[in-house]
Amino acid sequence: MTSITFPDDYECALTIDHKAPSCNRLYALADEDFGRYTSVSVLRHFIEGEQLGPAPSSIDYWAGLIMLSSSYADIYPEKVKRYLPEGYRSNYSALQLSEPFIDKTPQSLVKIFSDTALMKQAIAEILSHTQIAVSSEPEIIAQRICDL
């Protein structure tokens, strides 16, 4: 297998240092430094498919956040469980597009993310629209999400 050689002045907006990534995004979760991809880029690839995560488009960003904050995440190494939620912290706009909250303003999202009780209600609403079942307590999940 041959590798790709990038010129020294190559710039990539998907990486944290804007240089060529150290691996394909498909392997970013297995790479020691996540291929130098930004957490948002790795998260998008994880949620939207192919990134050792759910099948493409099988869950939305809210369901993915709930899963990463619950016992579902136990299959991933600690560094992955820390890195993927950073993508959410850096990009709340992905959450604004989800169906249950499509009409919510950014101000109300900030309020939801700062109040565990409101987050617990949001989780219940999201889970009622999905086919995932979580074994973790909704209160624990809500607290983990609010702690982002």
Side-chain angles (χ1 to χ4, degrees):
M1 183 193 260
T2 61
S3 63
I4 298 172
T5 304
F6 292 95
D8 290 338
D9 61 347
Y10 180 82
E11 291 193 23
C12 179
L14 299 175
T15 58
I16 56 176
D17 58 4
H18 301 287
K19 296 184 183 203
S22 60
C23 67
N24 184 300
R25 270 193 305 187
L26 183 61
Y27 306 107
L29 286 180
D31 187 70
E32 186 175 314
D33 63 355
F34 302 102
R36 292 195 320 275
Y37 289 101
T38 63
S39 58
V40 172
S41 179
V42 174
L43 175 69
R44 285 193 62 213
H45 203 246
F46 176 81
I47 294 294
E48 294 173 7
E50 298 179 18
Q51 187 71 32
L52 306 175
S57 302
S58 67
I59 63 170
D60 73 356
Y61 280 91
W62 274 102
L65 179 58
I66 291 168
M67 291 173 72
L68 288 169
S69 301
S70 72
S71 58
Y72 278 101
D74 292 347
I75 65 169
Y76 299 108
E78 285 301 316
K79 71 176 200 159
V80 171
K81 289 192 289 189
R82 286 189 308 270
Y83 198 66
L84 288 175
E86 283 180 25
Y88 284 103
R89 192 171 36 242
S90 301
N91 187 16
Y92 282 143
S93 64
L95 297 171
Q96 293 175 30
L97 302 176
S98 297
E99 189 62 34
F101 295 94
I102 202 87
D103 60 340
K104 302 284 194 237
T105 64
Q107 293 81 10
S108 61
L109 281 172
V110 168
K111 186 175 180 183
I112 290 169
F113 274 84
S114 62
D115 185 321
T116 306
L118 285 176
M119 180 57 74
K120 190 174 168 185
Q121 290 175 354
I123 290 168
E125 184 175 340
I126 292 155
L127 291 176
S128 73
H129 289 87
T130 67
Q131 295 188 7
I132 64 169
V134 293
S135 60
S136 303
E137 289 291 322
E139 192 167 308
I140 293 169
I141 296 170
Q143 187 61 55
R144 287 178 183 162
I145 293 171
C146 288
D147 288 344
L148 288 177

